């Protein structure tokens, strides 16, 4: 079994999930321009899942080209509301607009992971969870946002499911690790069987 990888992400939550599962990781963020890649893929009518997979692979491959011989994990999560991707907010006003769009609706959160070696993908996986947000008043949404730090708000697609964000939802179907951005069970399966 492999017990150390390179994580091509600056996500503290993803690093913690790996460490909680006894997988050591060196962090080297890929710094790919996610928004321009998303826009390009959307123009080509790519599905939210394809966009998530492509971003995870790009991140892993970019770092893998510099880390020859090592296994590099790239990951990406997207929110899919009726086939439309909801991007991370750039400010609190935009965060409120996003929450209003999700309000009372069911959306999907897709988390994709890719493991690359020597600059090429060797394995990938995507998982999807469904989340139904409660119908909430505007003042409740504003109060929720007031409790969230900037760091959490901009890193976790508006809701921090492992913290305050759990209170926004009436129903969650899916793996919590997937919702937090890393379907760890499948990653462990792959690493356990890696030759």
């Amino acid at each position: 079994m492999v017990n150390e990888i390179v994580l091509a992400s600056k996500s503290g939550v993803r690093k913690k999930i790996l460490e909680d599962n006894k997988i050591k990781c060196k962090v080297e963020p890929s710094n790919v321009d996610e928004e321009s890649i998303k826009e390009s893929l959307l123009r080509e009518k790519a599905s939210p899942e394809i966009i998530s997979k492509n971003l995870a692979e790009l991140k892993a491959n970019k770092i893998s080209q510099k880390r020859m011989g090592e296994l590099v994990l790239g990951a990406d999560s997207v929110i899919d509301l009726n086939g439309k991707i909801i991007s991370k907010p750039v400010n609190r006003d935009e965060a409120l607009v996003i929450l209003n769009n999700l309000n009372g609706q069911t959306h999907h959160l897709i988390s994709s992971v890719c493991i690359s070696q020597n600059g090429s993908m060797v394995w990938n996986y995507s998982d999807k969870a469904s989340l139904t947000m409660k119908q909430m008043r505007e003042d409740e949404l504003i109060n929720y946002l007031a409790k969230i730090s900037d760091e959490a708000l901009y890193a976790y697609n508006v809701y921090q499911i492992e913290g305050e964000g759990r209170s926004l939802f009436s129903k969650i179907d899916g793996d919590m690790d997937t919702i937090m951005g890393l379907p760890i069970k499948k990653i462990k399966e792959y690493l356990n069987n890696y030759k």
Side-chain angles (χ1 to χ4, degrees):
M1 167 176 172
V2 175
N3 66 354
E4 185 170 31
I5 59 170
V6 178
L7 176 63
S9 168
K10 57 182 174 259
S11 165
V13 171
R14 289 188 177 119
K15 182 175 188 280
K16 184 177 184 322
I17 291 170
L18 289 169
E19 289 171 346
D20 287 350
N21 283 274
K22 310 285 186 276
I23 301 166
K24 291 186 208 131
C25 65
K26 294 175 266 190
V27 174
E28 189 169 337
S30 63
N31 299 318
V32 300
D33 184 354
E34 293 185 39
E35 289 310 311
S36 67
I37 294 163
K38 272 185 203 171
E39 285 170 23
S40 173
L41 289 166
L42 285 168
R43 281 194 298 275
E44 295 173 22
K45 308 278 190 269
S47 69
E49 184 171 338
I50 292 295
I51 291 170
S52 177
K53 278 184 170 178
N54 273 321
L55 284 167
E57 183 177 354
L58 276 167
K59 293 170 187 178
N61 285 350
K62 182 178 176 187
I63 300 304
S64 178
Q65 288 164 1
K66 296 190 268 181
R67 297 275 202 156
M68 300 307 273
E70 295 180 86
L71 291 182
V72 178
L73 175 66
D76 189 74
S77 298
V78 298
I79 292 175
D80 170 8
L81 178 63
N82 304 320
K84 182 175 183 287
I85 284 190
I86 306 290
S87 290
K88 290 176 186 168
V90 295
N91 56 44
R92 288 183 175 270
D93 290 339
E94 198 172 286
L96 183 59
V97 169
I98 291 169
L99 286 176
N100 272 311
N101 287 336
L102 297 174
N103 201 3
Q105 303 269 338
T106 297
H107 68 271
H108 299 288
L109 188 136
I110 302 161
S111 282
S112 297
V113 287
C114 171
I115 293 178
S116 294
Q117 189 171 38
N118 302 324
S120 298
M121 175 178 68
V122 293
W123 176 82
N124 75 345
Y125 176 75
S126 289
D127 194 25
K128 185 188 286 191
S130 295
L131 298 94
T132 303
M133 191 170 154
K134 296 172 187 170
Q135 187 68 52
M136 298 175 77
R137 298 185 319 269
E138 179 101 353
D139 63 309
E140 291 175 308
L141 296 177
I142 290 167
N143 286 339
Y144 163 74
L145 286 173
K147 295 179 199 169
I148 306 298
S149 70
D150 283 350
E151 182 188 10
L153 182 66
Y154 302 131
Y156 303 104
N157 272 335
V158 192
Y159 53 81
Q160 189 185 6
I161 202 73
E162 69 279 12
E164 290 286 338
R166 183 70 186 85
S167 66
L168 297 174
F169 297 98
S170 57
K171 187 175 180 199
I172 296 175
D173 289 319
D175 181 74
M176 284 306 287
D177 289 320
T178 290
I179 295 167
M180 291 192 294
L182 209 60
I184 192 68
K185 291 175 194 73
K186 290 292 182 182
I187 294 168
K188 282 172 73 174
E189 262 176 45
Y190 177 77
L191 295 177
N192 282 333
N193 296 318
Y194 180 79
K195 302 277 187 279

mmCIF file with all atom_site columns, all heavy atoms in Angstrom, residues 160-184:
data_model
loop_
_atom_site.group_PDB
_atom_site.id
_atom_site.type_symbol
_atom_site.label_atom_id
_atom_site.label_alt_id
_atom_site.label_comp_id
_atom_site.label_asym_id
_atom_site.label_entity_id
_atom_site.label_seq_id
_atom_site.pdbx_PDB_ins_code
_atom_site.Cartn_x
_atom_site.Cartn_y
_atom_site.Cartn_z
_atom_site.occupancy
_atom_site.B_iso_or_equiv
_atom_site.pdbx_formal_charge
_atom_site.auth_seq_id
_atom_site.auth_comp_id
_atom_site.auth_asym_id
_atom_site.auth_atom_id
_atom_site.pdbx_PDB_model_num
ATOM 1   N N   . GLN A 1 160 ? -20.271 25.272 4.489  1.00 0.00 ? 160 GLN A N   1
ATOM 2   C CA  . GLN A 1 160 ? -19.229 24.448 5.111  1.00 0.00 ? 160 GLN A CA  1
ATOM 3   C C   . GLN A 1 160 ? -19.961 23.304 5.804  1.00 0.00 ? 160 GLN A C   1
ATOM 4   O O   . GLN A 1 160 ? -20.391 23.424 6.936  1.00 0.00 ? 160 GLN A O   1
ATOM 5   C CB  . GLN A 1 160 ? -18.458 25.324 6.090  1.00 0.00 ? 160 GLN A CB  1
ATOM 6   C CG  . GLN A 1 160 ? -17.232 24.694 6.663  1.00 0.00 ? 160 GLN A CG  1
ATOM 7   C CD  . GLN A 1 160 ? -16.604 25.588 7.706  1.00 0.00 ? 160 GLN A CD  1
ATOM 8   O OE1 . GLN A 1 160 ? -17.141 26.616 8.080  1.00 0.00 ? 160 GLN A OE1 1
ATOM 9   N NE2 . GLN A 1 160 ? -15.468 25.165 8.214  1.00 0.00 ? 160 GLN A NE2 1
ATOM 10  N N   . ILE A 1 161 ? -20.097 22.188 5.071  1.00 0.00 ? 161 ILE A N   1
ATOM 11  C CA  . ILE A 1 161 ? -20.979 21.103 5.517  1.00 0.00 ? 161 ILE A CA  1
ATOM 12  C C   . ILE A 1 161 ? -20.540 20.494 6.850  1.00 0.00 ? 161 ILE A C   1
ATOM 13  O O   . ILE A 1 161 ? -21.368 20.038 7.630  1.00 0.00 ? 161 ILE A O   1
ATOM 14  C CB  . ILE A 1 161 ? -21.124 20.022 4.417  1.00 0.00 ? 161 ILE A CB  1
ATOM 15  C CG1 . ILE A 1 161 ? -22.402 19.208 4.621  1.00 0.00 ? 161 ILE A CG1 1
ATOM 16  C CG2 . ILE A 1 161 ? -19.908 19.132 4.353  1.00 0.00 ? 161 ILE A CG2 1
ATOM 17  C CD1 . ILE A 1 161 ? -23.667 19.928 4.297  1.00 0.00 ? 161 ILE A CD1 1
ATOM 18  N N   . GLU A 1 162 ? -19.226 20.534 7.134  1.00 0.00 ? 162 GLU A N   1
ATOM 19  C CA  . GLU A 1 162 ? -18.756 19.945 8.393  1.00 0.00 ? 162 GLU A CA  1
ATOM 20  C C   . GLU A 1 162 ? -18.916 20.911 9.557  1.00 0.00 ? 162 GLU A C   1
ATOM 21  O O   . GLU A 1 162 ? -18.634 20.567 10.688 1.00 0.00 ? 162 GLU A O   1
ATOM 22  C CB  . GLU A 1 162 ? -17.307 19.459 8.270  1.00 0.00 ? 162 GLU A CB  1
ATOM 23  C CG  . GLU A 1 162 ? -16.270 20.543 8.127  1.00 0.00 ? 162 GLU A CG  1
ATOM 24  C CD  . GLU A 1 162 ? -16.141 21.087 6.708  1.00 0.00 ? 162 GLU A CD  1
ATOM 25  O OE1 . GLU A 1 162 ? -16.994 20.803 5.848  1.00 0.00 ? 162 GLU A OE1 1
ATOM 26  O OE2 . GLU A 1 162 ? -15.188 21.826 6.467  1.00 0.00 ? 162 GLU A OE2 1
ATOM 27  N N   . GLY A 1 163 ? -19.387 22.121 9.287  1.00 0.00 ? 163 GLY A N   1
ATOM 28  C CA  . GLY A 1 163 ? -19.585 23.112 10.341 1.00 0.00 ? 163 GLY A CA  1
ATOM 29  C C   . GLY A 1 163 ? -21.005 23.655 10.306 1.00 0.00 ? 163 GLY A C   1
ATOM 30  O O   . GLY A 1 163 ? -21.985 22.913 10.300 1.00 0.00 ? 163 GLY A O   1
ATOM 31  N N   . GLU A 1 164 ? -21.108 24.986 10.261 1.00 0.00 ? 164 GLU A N   1
ATOM 32  C CA  . GLU A 1 164 ? -22.413 25.666 10.269 1.00 0.00 ? 164 GLU A CA  1
ATOM 33  C C   . GLU A 1 164 ? -23.314 25.251 9.115  1.00 0.00 ? 164 GLU A C   1
ATOM 34  O O   . GLU A 1 164 ? -24.533 25.263 9.221  1.00 0.00 ? 164 GLU A O   1
ATOM 35  C CB  . GLU A 1 164 ? -22.204 27.193 10.189 1.00 0.00 ? 164 GLU A CB  1
ATOM 36  C CG  . GLU A 1 164 ? -21.613 27.817 11.428 1.00 0.00 ? 164 GLU A CG  1
ATOM 37  C CD  . GLU A 1 164 ? -22.602 27.899 12.575 1.00 0.00 ? 164 GLU A CD  1
ATOM 38  O OE1 . GLU A 1 164 ? -23.824 27.882 12.351 1.00 0.00 ? 164 GLU A OE1 1
ATOM 39  O OE2 . GLU A 1 164 ? -22.132 27.970 13.719 1.00 0.00 ? 164 GLU A OE2 1
ATOM 40  N N   . GLY A 1 165 ? -22.708 24.896 7.988  1.00 0.00 ? 165 GLY A N   1
ATOM 41  C CA  . GLY A 1 165 ? -23.483 24.609 6.780  1.00 0.00 ? 165 GLY A CA  1
ATOM 42  C C   . GLY A 1 165 ? -24.469 23.468 6.917  1.00 0.00 ? 165 GLY A C   1
ATOM 43  O O   . GLY A 1 165 ? -25.478 23.418 6.210  1.00 0.00 ? 165 GLY A O   1
ATOM 44  N N   . ARG A 1 166 ? -24.208 22.539 7.826  1.00 0.00 ? 166 ARG A N   1
ATOM 45  C CA  . ARG A 1 166 ? -25.110 21.391 8.013  1.00 0.00 ? 166 ARG A CA  1
ATOM 46  C C   . ARG A 1 166 ? -26.531 21.851 8.327  1.00 0.00 ? 166 ARG A C   1
ATOM 47  O O   . ARG A 1 166 ? -27.510 21.228 7.921  1.00 0.00 ? 166 ARG A O   1
ATOM 48  C CB  . ARG A 1 166 ? -24.560 20.508 9.143  1.00 0.00 ? 166 ARG A CB  1
ATOM 49  C CG  . ARG A 1 166 ? -25.337 19.239 9.411  1.00 0.00 ? 166 ARG A CG  1
ATOM 50  C CD  . ARG A 1 166 ? -25.164 18.262 8.258  1.00 0.00 ? 166 ARG A CD  1
ATOM 51  N NE  . ARG A 1 166 ? -25.976 17.080 8.380  1.00 0.00 ? 166 ARG A NE  1
ATOM 52  C CZ  . ARG A 1 166 ? -27.244 16.975 7.986  1.00 0.00 ? 166 ARG A CZ  1
ATOM 53  N NH1 . ARG A 1 166 ? -27.874 18.018 7.487  1.00 0.00 ? 166 ARG A NH1 1
ATOM 54  N NH2 . ARG A 1 166 ? -27.896 15.848 8.093  1.00 0.00 ? 166 ARG A NH2 1
ATOM 55  N N   . SER A 1 167 ? -26.654 22.995 9.017  1.00 0.00 ? 167 SER A N   1
ATOM 56  C CA  . SER A 1 167 ? -27.974 23.496 9.441  1.00 0.00 ? 167 SER A CA  1
ATOM 57  C C   . SER A 1 167 ? -28.823 24.008 8.272  1.00 0.00 ? 167 SER A C   1
ATOM 58  O O   . SER A 1 167 ? -30.018 24.229 8.424  1.00 0.00 ? 167 SER A O   1
ATOM 59  C CB  . SER A 1 167 ? -27.796 24.624 10.459 1.00 0.00 ? 167 SER A CB  1
ATOM 60  O OG  . SER A 1 167 ? -27.178 25.747 9.830  1.00 0.00 ? 167 SER A OG  1
ATOM 61  N N   . LEU A 1 168 ? -28.214 24.197 7.102  1.00 0.00 ? 168 LEU A N   1
ATOM 62  C CA  . LEU A 1 168 ? -28.956 24.708 5.946  1.00 0.00 ? 168 LEU A CA  1
ATOM 63  C C   . LEU A 1 168 ? -29.816 23.646 5.266  1.00 0.00 ? 168 LEU A C   1
ATOM 64  O O   . LEU A 1 168 ? -30.700 23.972 4.484  1.00 0.00 ? 168 LEU A O   1
ATOM 65  C CB  . LEU A 1 168 ? -27.986 25.260 4.888  1.00 0.00 ? 168 LEU A CB  1
ATOM 66  C CG  . LEU A 1 168 ? -27.106 26.445 5.262  1.00 0.00 ? 168 LEU A CG  1
ATOM 67  C CD1 . LEU A 1 168 ? -26.115 26.732 4.142  1.00 0.00 ? 168 LEU A CD1 1
ATOM 68  C CD2 . LEU A 1 168 ? -27.951 27.669 5.562  1.00 0.00 ? 168 LEU A CD2 1
ATOM 69  N N   . PHE A 1 169 ? -29.551 22.366 5.565  1.00 0.00 ? 169 PHE A N   1
ATOM 70  C CA  . PHE A 1 169 ? -30.143 21.298 4.752  1.00 0.00 ? 169 PHE A CA  1
ATOM 71  C C   . PHE A 1 169 ? -31.189 20.471 5.477  1.00 0.00 ? 169 PHE A C   1
ATOM 72  O O   . PHE A 1 169 ? -31.027 20.117 6.631  1.00 0.00 ? 169 PHE A O   1
ATOM 73  C CB  . PHE A 1 169 ? -29.031 20.385 4.219  1.00 0.00 ? 169 PHE A CB  1
ATOM 74  C CG  . PHE A 1 169 ? -28.094 21.138 3.318  1.00 0.00 ? 169 PHE A CG  1
ATOM 75  C CD1 . PHE A 1 169 ? -26.898 21.636 3.800  1.00 0.00 ? 169 PHE A CD1 1
ATOM 76  C CD2 . PHE A 1 169 ? -28.430 21.399 1.999  1.00 0.00 ? 169 PHE A CD2 1
ATOM 77  C CE1 . PHE A 1 169 ? -26.054 22.370 2.987  1.00 0.00 ? 169 PHE A CE1 1
ATOM 78  C CE2 . PHE A 1 169 ? -27.595 22.132 1.172  1.00 0.00 ? 169 PHE A CE2 1
ATOM 79  C CZ  . PHE A 1 169 ? -26.403 22.619 1.673  1.00 0.00 ? 169 PHE A CZ  1
ATOM 80  N N   . SER A 1 170 ? -32.245 20.156 4.740  1.00 0.00 ? 170 SER A N   1
ATOM 81  C CA  . SER A 1 170 ? -33.285 19.287 5.285  1.00 0.00 ? 170 SER A CA  1
ATOM 82  C C   . SER A 1 170 ? -32.993 17.830 4.938  1.00 0.00 ? 170 SER A C   1
ATOM 83  O O   . SER A 1 170 ? -33.439 16.919 5.621  1.00 0.00 ? 170 SER A O   1
ATOM 84  C CB  . SER A 1 170 ? -34.655 19.678 4.732  1.00 0.00 ? 170 SER A CB  1
ATOM 85  O OG  . SER A 1 170 ? -34.654 19.623 3.315  1.00 0.00 ? 170 SER A OG  1
ATOM 86  N N   . LYS A 1 171 ? -32.224 17.606 3.856  1.00 0.00 ? 171 LYS A N   1
ATOM 87  C CA  . LYS A 1 171 ? -31.944 16.234 3.428  1.00 0.00 ? 171 LYS A CA  1
ATOM 88  C C   . LYS A 1 171 ? -30.592 16.183 2.729  1.00 0.00 ? 171 LYS A C   1
ATOM 89  O O   . LYS A 1 171 ? -30.288 17.032 1.892  1.00 0.00 ? 171 LYS A O   1
ATOM 90  C CB  . LYS A 1 171 ? -33.041 15.772 2.467  1.00 0.00 ? 171 LYS A CB  1
ATOM 91  C CG  . LYS A 1 171 ? -32.967 14.319 2.091  1.00 0.00 ? 171 LYS A CG  1
ATOM 92  C CD  . LYS A 1 171 ? -34.173 13.929 1.244  1.00 0.00 ? 171 LYS A CD  1
ATOM 93  C CE  . LYS A 1 171 ? -34.090 12.462 0.876  1.00 0.00 ? 171 LYS A CE  1
ATOM 94  N NZ  . LYS A 1 171 ? -34.934 12.127 -0.251 1.00 0.00 ? 171 LYS A NZ  1
ATOM 95  N N   . ILE A 1 172 ? -29.796 15.175 3.096  1.00 0.00 ? 172 ILE A N   1
ATOM 96  C CA  . ILE A 1 172 ? -28.507 14.944 2.454  1.00 0.00 ? 172 ILE A CA  1
ATOM 97  C C   . ILE A 1 172 ? -28.415 13.466 2.105  1.00 0.00 ? 172 ILE A C   1
ATOM 98  O O   . ILE A 1 172 ? -28.545 12.616 2.976  1.00 0.00 ? 172 ILE A O   1
ATOM 99  C CB  . ILE A 1 172 ? -27.333 15.343 3.382  1.00 0.00 ? 172 ILE A CB  1
ATOM 100 C CG1 . ILE A 1 172 ? -27.358 16.846 3.665  1.00 0.00 ? 172 ILE A CG1 1
ATOM 101 C CG2 . ILE A 1 172 ? -25.994 14.934 2.765  1.00 0.00 ? 172 ILE A CG2 1
ATOM 102 C CD1 . ILE A 1 172 ? -26.318 17.321 4.661  1.00 0.00 ? 172 ILE A CD1 1
ATOM 103 N N   . ASP A 1 173 ? -28.224 13.171 0.817  1.00 0.00 ? 173 ASP A N   1
ATOM 104 C CA  . ASP A 1 173 ? -28.030 11.793 0.358  1.00 0.00 ? 173 ASP A CA  1
ATOM 105 C C   . ASP A 1 173 ? -26.652 11.695 -0.256 1.00 0.00 ? 173 ASP A C   1
ATOM 106 O O   . ASP A 1 173 ? -26.389 12.306 -1.298 1.00 0.00 ? 173 ASP A O   1
ATOM 107 C CB  . ASP A 1 173 ? -29.067 11.415 -0.714 1.00 0.00 ? 173 ASP A CB  1
ATOM 108 C CG  . ASP A 1 173 ? -30.461 11.269 -0.138 1.00 0.00 ? 173 ASP A CG  1
ATOM 109 O OD1 . ASP A 1 173 ? -30.583 10.699 0.955  1.00 0.00 ? 173 ASP A OD1 1
ATOM 110 O OD2 . ASP A 1 173 ? -31.418 11.739 -0.787 1.00 0.00 ? 173 ASP A OD2 1
ATOM 111 N N   . GLY A 1 174 ? -25.784 10.950 0.396  1.00 0.00 ? 174 GLY A N   1
ATOM 112 C CA  . GLY A 1 174 ? -24.449 10.783 -0.158 1.00 0.00 ? 174 GLY A CA  1
ATOM 113 C C   . GLY A 1 174 ? -23.394 10.731 0.918  1.00 0.00 ? 174 GLY A C   1
ATOM 114 O O   . GLY A 1 174 ? -23.668 10.926 2.102  1.00 0.00 ? 174 GLY A O   1
ATOM 115 N N   . ASP A 1 175 ? -22.197 10.463 0.491  1.00 0.00 ? 175 ASP A N   1
ATOM 116 C CA  . ASP A 1 175 ? -21.051 10.291 1.367  1.00 0.00 ? 175 ASP A CA  1
ATOM 117 C C   . ASP A 1 175 ? -20.541 11.646 1.853  1.00 0.00 ? 175 ASP A C   1
ATOM 118 O O   . ASP A 1 175 ? -20.320 12.552 1.050  1.00 0.00 ? 175 ASP A O   1
ATOM 119 C CB  . ASP A 1 175 ? -19.966 9.557  0.571  1.00 0.00 ? 175 ASP A CB  1
ATOM 120 C CG  . ASP A 1 175 ? -18.733 9.310  1.391  1.00 0.00 ? 175 ASP A CG  1
ATOM 121 O OD1 . ASP A 1 175 ? -18.780 8.426  2.254  1.00 0.00 ? 175 ASP A OD1 1
ATOM 122 O OD2 . ASP A 1 175 ? -17.721 10.010 1.179  1.00 0.00 ? 175 ASP A OD2 1
ATOM 123 N N   . MET A 1 176 ? -20.375 11.797 3.158  1.00 0.00 ? 176 MET A N   1
ATOM 124 C CA  . MET A 1 176 ? -19.932 13.086 3.708  1.00 0.00 ? 176 MET A CA  1
ATOM 125 C C   . MET A 1 176 ? -18.527 13.466 3.221  1.00 0.00 ? 176 MET A C   1
ATOM 126 O O   . MET A 1 176 ? -18.247 14.640 2.988  1.00 0.00 ? 176 MET A O   1
ATOM 127 C CB  . MET A 1 176 ? -19.959 13.070 5.239  1.00 0.00 ? 176 MET A CB  1
ATOM 128 C CG  . MET A 1 176 ? -21.348 13.200 5.835  1.00 0.00 ? 176 MET A CG  1
ATOM 129 S SD  . MET A 1 176 ? -22.287 14.648 5.255  1.00 0.00 ? 176 MET A SD  1
ATOM 130 C CE  . MET A 1 176 ? -21.447 15.958 6.124  1.00 0.00 ? 176 MET A CE  1
ATOM 131 N N   . ASP A 1 177 ? -17.643 12.486 3.045  1.00 0.00 ? 177 ASP A N   1
ATOM 132 C CA  . ASP A 1 177 ? -16.308 12.801 2.538  1.00 0.00 ? 177 ASP A CA  1
ATOM 133 C C   . ASP A 1 177 ? -16.382 13.337 1.106  1.00 0.00 ? 177 ASP A C   1
ATOM 134 O O   . ASP A 1 177 ? -15.632 14.240 0.736  1.00 0.00 ? 177 ASP A O   1
ATOM 135 C CB  . ASP A 1 177 ? -15.389 11.577 2.606  1.00 0.00 ? 177 ASP A CB  1
ATOM 136 C CG  . ASP A 1 177 ? -15.012 11.226 4.042  1.00 0.00 ? 177 ASP A CG  1
ATOM 137 O OD1 . ASP A 1 177 ? -14.761 12.157 4.834  1.00 0.00 ? 177 ASP A OD1 1
ATOM 138 O OD2 . ASP A 1 177 ? -14.980 10.033 4.374  1.00 0.00 ? 177 ASP A OD2 1
ATOM 139 N N   . THR A 1 178 ? -17.301 12.799 0.318  1.00 0.00 ? 178 THR A N   1
ATOM 140 C CA  . THR A 1 178 ? -17.523 13.322 -1.040 1.00 0.00 ? 178 THR A CA  1
ATOM 141 C C   . THR A 1 178 ? -17.971 14.773 -0.970 1.00 0.00 ? 178 THR A C   1
ATOM 142 O O   . THR A 1 178 ? -17.463 15.636 -1.694 1.00 0.00 ? 178 THR A O   1
ATOM 143 C CB  . THR A 1 178 ? -18.584 12.477 -1.774 1.00 0.00 ? 178 THR A CB  1
ATOM 144 O OG1 . THR A 1 178 ? -18.027 11.188 -2.051 1.00 0.00 ? 178 THR A OG1 1
ATOM 145 C CG2 . THR A 1 178 ? -19.037 13.125 -3.075 1.00 0.00 ? 178 THR A CG2 1
ATOM 146 N N   . ILE A 1 179 ? -18.903 15.065 -0.068 1.00 0.00 ? 179 ILE A N   1
ATOM 147 C CA  . ILE A 1 179 ? -19.426 16.427 0.075  1.00 0.00 ? 179 ILE A CA  1
ATOM 148 C C   . ILE A 1 179 ? -18.314 17.379 0.527  1.00 0.00 ? 179 ILE A C   1
ATOM 149 O O   . ILE A 1 179 ? -18.266 18.536 0.112  1.00 0.00 ? 179 ILE A O   1
ATOM 150 C CB  . ILE A 1 179 ? -20.637 16.457 1.037  1.00 0.00 ? 179 ILE A CB  1
ATOM 151 C CG1 . ILE A 1 179 ? -21.798 15.651 0.435  1.00 0.00 ? 179 ILE A CG1 1
ATOM 152 C CG2 . ILE A 1 179 ? -21.077 17.889 1.329  1.00 0.00 ? 179 ILE A CG2 1
ATOM 153 C CD1 . ILE A 1 179 ? -22.929 15.331 1.399  1.00 0.00 ? 179 ILE A CD1 1
ATOM 154 N N   . MET A 1 180 ? -17.395 16.881 1.339  1.00 0.00 ? 180 MET A N   1
ATOM 155 C CA  . MET A 1 180 ? -16.284 17.713 1.799  1.00 0.00 ? 180 MET A CA  1
ATOM 156 C C   . MET A 1 180 ? -15.149 17.770 0.777  1.00 0.00 ? 180 MET A C   1
ATOM 157 O O   . MET A 1 180 ? -14.161 18.456 0.985  1.00 0.00 ? 180 MET A O   1
ATOM 158 C CB  . MET A 1 180 ? -15.780 17.235 3.166  1.00 0.00 ? 180 MET A CB  1
ATOM 159 C CG  . MET A 1 180 ? -16.804 17.492 4.258  1.00 0.00 ? 180 MET A CG  1
ATOM 160 S SD  . MET A 1 180 ? -16.161 17.280 5.925  1.00 0.00 ? 180 MET A SD  1
ATOM 161 C CE  . MET A 1 180 ? -15.802 15.556 5.995  1.00 0.00 ? 180 MET A CE  1
ATOM 162 N N   . GLY A 1 181 ? -15.306 17.041 -0.337 1.00 0.00 ? 181 GLY A N   1
ATOM 163 C CA  . GLY A 1 181 ? -14.378 17.204 -1.450 1.00 0.00 ? 181 GLY A CA  1
ATOM 164 C C   . GLY A 1 181 ? -13.409 16.078 -1.727 1.00 0.00 ? 181 GLY A C   1
ATOM 165 O O   . GLY A 1 181 ? -12.556 16.192 -2.604 1.00 0.00 ? 181 GLY A O   1
ATOM 166 N N   . LEU A 1 182 ? -13.539 14.945 -1.017 1.00 0.00 ? 182 LEU A N   1
ATOM 167 C CA  . LEU A 1 182 ? -12.588 13.857 -1.233 1.00 0.00 ? 182 LEU A CA  1
ATOM 168 C C   . LEU A 1 182 ? -13.226 12.500 -0.930 1.00 0.00 ? 182 LEU A C   1
ATOM 169 O O   . LEU A 1 182 ? -13.313 12.105 0.241  1.00 0.00 ? 182 LEU A O   1
ATOM 170 C CB  . LEU A 1 182 ? -11.361 14.072 -0.339 1.00 0.00 ? 182 LEU A CB  1
ATOM 171 C CG  . LEU A 1 182 ? -10.034 13.536 -0.833 1.00 0.00 ? 182 LEU A CG  1
ATOM 172 C CD1 . LEU A 1 182 ? -9.619  14.149 -2.153 1.00 0.00 ? 182 LEU A CD1 1
ATOM 173 C CD2 . LEU A 1 182 ? -8.957  13.776 0.199  1.00 0.00 ? 182 LEU A CD2 1
ATOM 174 N N   . PRO A 1 183 ? -13.680 11.762 -1.960 1.00 0.00 ? 183 PRO A N   1
ATOM 175 C CA  . PRO A 1 183 ? -14.264 10.427 -1.719 1.00 0.00 ? 183 PRO A CA  1
ATOM 176 C C   . PRO A 1 183 ? -13.173 9.440  -1.299 1.00 0.00 ? 183 PRO A C   1
ATOM 177 O O   . PRO A 1 183 ? -12.639 8.680  -2.095 1.00 0.00 ? 183 PRO A O   1
ATOM 178 C CB  . PRO A 1 183 ? -14.897 10.061 -3.064 1.00 0.00 ? 183 PRO A CB  1
ATOM 179 C CG  . PRO A 1 183 ? -14.279 10.964 -4.077 1.00 0.00 ? 183 PRO A CG  1
ATOM 180 C CD  . PRO A 1 183 ? -13.747 12.158 -3.366 1.00 0.00 ? 183 PRO A CD  1
ATOM 181 N N   . ILE A 1 184 ? -12.848 9.481  -0.027 1.00 0.00 ? 184 ILE A N   1
ATOM 182 C CA  . ILE A 1 184 ? -11.653 8.808  0.494  1.00 0.00 ? 184 ILE A CA  1
ATOM 183 C C   . ILE A 1 184 ? -11.724 7.283  0.411  1.00 0.00 ? 184 ILE A C   1
ATOM 184 O O   . ILE A 1 184 ? -10.692 6.621  0.233  1.00 0.00 ? 184 ILE A O   1
ATOM 185 C CB  . ILE A 1 184 ? -11.352 9.272  1.954  1.00 0.00 ? 184 ILE A CB  1
ATOM 186 C CG1 . ILE A 1 184 ? -9.952  8.819  2.416  1.00 0.00 ? 184 ILE A CG1 1
ATOM 187 C CG2 . ILE A 1 184 ? -12.413 8.781  2.926  1.00 0.00 ? 184 ILE A CG2 1
ATOM 188 C CD1 . ILE A 1 184 ? -8.820  9.492  1.710  1.00 0.00 ? 184 ILE A CD1 1
#
